[in-house]
Coordinates of all heavy atoms in Angstrom, one line a residue:
I1 N 58.6 93.7 71.6 CA 59.8 93.7 70.6 C 61.0 94.4 71.2 O 62.1 93.9 71.0 CB 59.3 94.3 69.3 CG1 58.2 93.5 68.6 CG2 60.5 94.4 68.3 CD1 57.6 94.1 67.4
R2 N 60.8 95.5 71.9 CA 61.9 96.2 72.5 C 62.6 95.4 73.5 O 63.9 95.4 73.6 CB 61.4 97.5 73.1 CG 62.5 98.4 73.7 CD 62.0 99.5 74.6 NE 61.1 100.3 73.9 CZ 59.8 100.5 74.2 NH1 59.3 99.8 75.3 NH2 59.1 101.3 73.6
H3 N 61.9 94.6 74.3 CA 62.4 93.7 75.3 C 63.4 92.7 74.7 O 64.5 92.5 75.1 CB 61.3 93.0 76.0 CG 61.8 91.9 76.9 ND1 62.5 92.2 78.1 CD2 61.7 90.6 76.8 CE1 62.8 91.0 78.7 NE2 62.3 90.0 77.9
Y4 N 62.9 92.0 73.6 CA 63.8 91.0 73.0 C 64.9 91.6 72.2 O 66.0 91.0 72.1 CB 62.9 90.1 72.1 CG 62.0 89.2 72.9 CD1 60.6 89.4 73.0 CD2 62.5 88.1 73.7 CE1 59.8 88.6 73.8 CE2 61.6 87.3 74.5 CZ 60.3 87.6 74.5 OH 59.5 86.8 75.2
V5 N 64.7 92.7 71.6 CA 65.8 93.4 70.9 C 66.9 93.8 71.8 O 68.1 93.6 71.6 CB 65.3 94.5 70.0 CG1 66.5 95.4 69.5 CG2 64.4 94.1 68.9
T6 N 66.5 94.3 73.0 CA 67.4 94.7 74.0 C 68.2 93.5 74.5 O 69.4 93.6 74.8 CB 66.7 95.4 75.2 OG1 66.0 96.5 74.7 CG2 67.7 95.9 76.2
Q7 N 67.6 92.4 74.7 CA 68.3 91.1 75.1 C 69.3 90.7 74.0 O 70.4 90.2 74.4 CB 67.3 90.0 75.4 CG 66.5 90.2 76.6 CD 65.7 89.0 77.0 OE1 65.4 88.2 76.1 NE2 65.3 88.8 78.2
L8 N 68.9 90.8 72.7 CA 69.9 90.5 71.7 C 71.1 91.4 71.7 O 72.2 90.9 71.4 CB 69.2 90.5 70.3 CG 68.1 89.4 70.1 CD1 67.4 89.6 68.7 CD2 68.7 88.0 70.1
L9 N 70.9 92.7 71.9 CA 72.0 93.6 71.9 C 72.7 93.8 73.2 O 73.7 94.5 73.3 CB 71.5 95.0 71.5 CG 70.8 95.1 70.1 CD1 70.3 96.5 69.8 CD2 71.8 94.7 69.0
H10 N 72.3 93.0 74.2 CA 72.9 93.1 75.5 C 74.3 92.6 75.6 O 74.5 91.5 75.0 CB 72.0 92.4 76.6 CG 72.6 92.4 78.0 ND1 72.7 93.6 78.7 CD2 73.2 91.5 78.7 CE1 73.2 93.3 79.9 NE2 73.6 92.0 79.9
S11 N 75.2 93.3 76.2 CA 76.6 92.8 76.3 C 76.9 92.8 77.8 O 76.6 93.7 78.5 CB 77.5 93.7 75.5 OG 77.4 95.1 76.0
D12 N 77.6 91.8 78.2 CA 78.0 91.6 79.6 C 79.0 92.7 80.0 O 80.0 92.8 79.3 CB 78.5 90.2 79.9 CG 77.5 89.2 79.7 OD1 76.3 89.5 79.8 OD2 77.8 88.0 79.3
K13 N 78.8 93.4 81.1 CA 79.7 94.4 81.5 C 80.8 93.7 82.4 O 80.6 92.8 83.1 CB 79.0 95.4 82.4 CG 77.9 96.2 81.6 CD 77.3 97.3 82.5 CE 76.2 98.1 81.7 NZ 75.6 99.1 82.6
K14 N 82.0 94.3 82.2 CA 83.1 93.8 82.9 C 83.0 94.2 84.4 O 82.7 95.3 84.8 CB 84.4 94.3 82.4 CG 84.7 93.9 80.9 CD 86.0 94.4 80.4 CE 86.3 93.9 79.0 NZ 87.6 94.5 78.5
V15 N 83.2 93.2 85.3 CA 83.1 93.4 86.7 C 84.5 93.7 87.3 O 85.5 92.9 87.1 CB 82.5 92.2 87.4 CG1 82.4 92.4 88.9 CG2 81.1 91.9 86.8
D16 N 84.7 94.8 87.9 CA 85.9 95.2 88.6 C 86.0 94.5 90.0 O 85.2 94.9 90.9 CB 86.0 96.7 88.7 CG 87.4 97.1 89.2 OD1 88.2 96.2 89.5 OD2 87.7 98.3 89.3
M17 N 86.8 93.5 90.1 CA 86.9 92.7 91.4 C 87.3 93.6 92.5 O 86.8 93.4 93.7 CB 87.9 91.6 91.2 CG 87.4 90.6 90.2 SD 85.8 89.9 90.5 CE 86.0 89.1 92.0
E18 N 88.1 94.6 92.3 CA 88.6 95.5 93.3 C 87.4 96.4 93.8 O 87.2 96.6 95.1 CB 89.7 96.4 92.8 CG 90.3 97.3 93.9 CD 91.4 98.1 93.4 OE1 92.6 97.7 93.4 OE2 91.2 99.3 92.9
Q19 N 86.5 96.8 92.9 CA 85.4 97.6 93.3 C 84.4 96.7 94.1 O 83.8 97.2 95.1 CB 84.7 98.2 92.1 CG 83.6 99.2 92.4 CD 83.0 99.8 91.1 OE1 83.5 99.5 90.0 NE2 82.0 100.6 91.3
V20 N 84.2 95.5 93.6 CA 83.3 94.6 94.4 C 83.8 94.3 95.8 O 83.1 94.3 96.8 CB 83.1 93.3 93.6 CG1 82.3 92.3 94.4 CG2 82.5 93.5 92.2
S21 N 85.1 94.1 95.9 CA 85.7 93.9 97.2 C 85.6 95.1 98.1 O 85.2 94.9 99.3 CB 87.2 93.5 97.1 OG 87.8 93.4 98.3
D22 N 85.7 96.3 97.6 CA 85.6 97.5 98.4 C 84.1 97.6 98.9 O 83.9 98.0 100.0 CB 86.0 98.7 97.6 CG 87.5 98.7 97.3 OD1 88.2 98.0 98.0 OD2 87.9 99.5 96.4
S23 N 83.2 97.4 98.0 CA 81.8 97.5 98.4 C 81.4 96.5 99.5 O 80.6 96.8 100.4 CB 80.9 97.3 97.2 OG 81.0 96.0 96.6
Q24 N 82.0 95.3 99.4 CA 81.7 94.2 100.4 C 82.3 94.6 101.8 O 81.7 94.4 102.8 CB 82.3 92.9 100.0 CG 81.6 92.3 98.8 CD 80.2 91.9 99.1 OE1 79.9 91.4 100.2 NE2 79.3 92.1 98.1
V25 N 83.5 95.3 101.7 CA 84.1 95.7 103.0 C 83.3 96.8 103.6 O 83.1 96.8 104.9 CB 85.6 96.2 102.7 CG1 86.1 96.9 103.9 CG2 86.5 95.0 102.4
L26 N 82.8 97.7 102.8 CA 82.0 98.8 103.4 C 80.7 98.2 103.9 O 80.1 98.7 105.0 CB 81.7 99.8 102.3 CG 82.9 100.7 101.8 CD1 82.5 101.5 100.6 CD2 83.4 101.6 102.9
M27 N 80.1 97.2 103.3 CA 78.9 96.6 103.8 C 79.1 95.9 105.1 O 78.3 96.0 106.0 CB 78.4 95.6 102.7 CG 77.0 95.0 103.1 SD 76.5 93.8 101.8 CE 76.4 94.9 100.4
R28 N 80.3 95.2 105.2 CA 80.6 94.5 106.5 C 80.8 95.5 107.6 O 80.3 95.3 108.7 CB 81.9 93.7 106.3 CG 81.7 92.4 105.5 CD 83.1 91.8 105.1 NE 83.8 91.6 106.4 CZ 85.1 91.3 106.4 NH1 85.8 91.3 105.2 NH2 85.7 91.1 107.5
S29 N 81.4 96.6 107.3 CA 81.6 97.6 108.4 C 80.2 98.2 108.8 O 80.0 98.5 110.0 CB 82.5 98.7 107.9 OG 82.7 99.8 108.8
R30 N 79.4 98.5 107.9 CA 78.1 99.0 108.2 C 77.2 98.0 109.0 O 76.6 98.4 110.0 CB 77.3 99.4 106.9 CG 76.0 100.1 107.2 CD 75.3 100.5 106.0 NE 74.8 99.4 105.1 CZ 75.4 99.0 104.0 NH1 76.4 99.7 103.5 NH2 74.9 98.0 103.3
I31 N 77.3 96.7 108.7 CA 76.6 95.7 109.4 C 77.2 95.6 110.9 O 76.4 95.4 111.8 CB 76.7 94.3 108.7 CG1 75.9 94.4 107.4 CG2 76.2 93.2 109.6 CD1 76.1 93.1 106.6
L32 N 78.5 95.8 111.0 CA 79.1 95.8 112.3 C 78.6 97.0 113.2 O 78.3 96.8 114.4 CB 80.6 95.8 112.2 CG 81.4 95.9 113.5 CD1 81.2 94.6 114.3 CD2 82.9 96.0 113.2
R33 N 78.5 98.1 112.6 CA 78.0 99.3 113.3 C 76.5 99.1 113.7 O 76.1 99.5 114.8 CB 78.1 100.5 112.4 CG 79.5 101.0 112.2 CD 79.5 102.4 111.6 NE 79.1 102.4 110.2 CZ 77.9 102.9 109.7 NH1 77.0 103.4 110.6 NH2 77.7 102.8 108.4
E34 N 75.7 98.5 112.9 CA 74.3 98.3 113.2 C 74.0 97.2 114.1 O 73.1 97.3 114.9 CB 73.5 98.2 111.9 CG 73.6 99.4 111.0 CD 73.0 99.2 109.6 OE1 72.5 98.1 109.4 OE2 72.9 100.2 108.8
N35 N 74.7 96.1 114.0 CA 74.4 94.8 114.7 C 75.5 94.4 115.6 O 75.5 93.2 116.1 CB 74.1 93.7 113.7 CG 72.9 94.1 112.8 OD1 71.9 94.6 113.2 ND2 73.1 93.8 111.5
G36 N 76.5 95.3 115.9 CA 77.6 94.9 116.8 C 77.1 94.6 118.2 O 77.8 94.0 119.0
K37 N 76.0 95.1 118.6 CA 75.5 94.9 120.0 C 75.1 93.5 120.2 O 74.9 93.1 121.4 CB 74.3 95.9 120.2 CG 73.1 95.7 119.3 CD 72.1 96.7 119.5 CE 70.9 96.5 118.5 NZ 69.8 97.5 118.8
Y38 N 75.0 92.7 119.2 CA 74.5 91.3 119.4 C 75.7 90.3 119.5 O 75.5 89.1 119.6 CB 73.6 90.9 118.3 CG 72.3 91.7 118.2 CD1 72.1 92.6 117.2 CD2 71.4 91.6 119.2 CE1 70.9 93.3 117.1 CE2 70.2 92.3 119.2 CZ 70.0 93.2 118.1 OH 68.8 93.9 118.1
I39 N 76.9 90.8 119.5 CA 78.1 90.0 119.7 C 78.9 90.4 120.9 O 78.7 91.6 121.3 CB 79.0 90.0 118.4 CG1 79.5 91.4 118.1 CG2 78.3 89.4 117.2 CD1 80.5 91.5 116.9
P40 N 79.7 89.6 121.5 CA 80.4 90.0 122.7 C 81.4 91.2 122.4 O 81.7 91.4 121.3 CB 81.2 88.7 123.1 CG 80.4 87.6 122.5 CD 79.8 88.1 121.2
R41 N 81.8 91.8 123.5 CA 82.7 93.0 123.4 C 84.0 92.6 122.7 O 84.5 93.4 121.9 CB 82.9 93.6 124.7 CG 83.8 94.9 124.7 CD 84.0 95.4 126.1 NE 82.7 95.8 126.7 CZ 82.1 97.0 126.5 NH1 82.6 97.9 125.7 NH2 80.9 97.2 127.1
Q42 N 84.5 91.5 123.0 CA 85.8 91.1 122.4 C 85.7 90.9 120.9 O 86.6 91.3 120.2 CB 86.3 89.8 123.1 CG 87.7 89.4 122.6 CD 88.2 88.1 123.3 OE1 87.5 87.5 124.1 NE2 89.4 87.7 122.9
S43 N 84.6 90.2 120.5 CA 84.4 90.0 119.1 C 84.2 91.3 118.3 O 84.7 91.5 117.2 CB 83.2 89.1 118.9 OG 83.4 87.9 119.5
F44 N 83.5 92.2 119.0 CA 83.3 93.6 118.3 C 84.6 94.3 118.3 O 84.9 94.9 117.2 CB 82.3 94.4 119.2 CG 82.1 95.8 118.7 CD1 81.2 96.0 117.6 CD2 82.8 96.8 119.2 CE1 81.0 97.3 117.1 CE2 82.6 98.1 118.8 CZ 81.7 98.4 117.7

């Protein structure tokens, strides 16, 4: 019952596009640091 009541009372949270964009940029930079050795030096 708690599961279905929670679904009925659930409200969609507003997504901040700027915050999502910043998190994606940080993720891209982290991927570059970890996997940059697999691309040529110029691309890195």
Side-chain angles (χ1 to χ4, degrees):
I1 295 173
R2 183 192 303 118
H3 170 74
Y4 289 107
V5 171
T6 303
Q7 286 188 339
L8 291 175
L9 298 178
H10 177 72
S11 58
D12 296 332
K13 297 181 180 180
K14 295 181 179 179
V15 179
D16 189 356
M17 298 304 297
E18 185 177 273
Q19 186 176 0
V20 174
S21 175
D22 293 343
S23 63
Q24 292 294 323
V25 169
L26 292 172
M27 186 182 301
R28 288 170 55 193
S29 176
R30 185 176 68 252
I31 293 175
L32 179 63
R33 288 191 289 107
E34 296 175 353
N35 302 317
K37 58 184 178 180
Y38 297 111
I39 60 177
R41 182 179 300 273
Q42 183 180 1
S43 301
F44 177 83

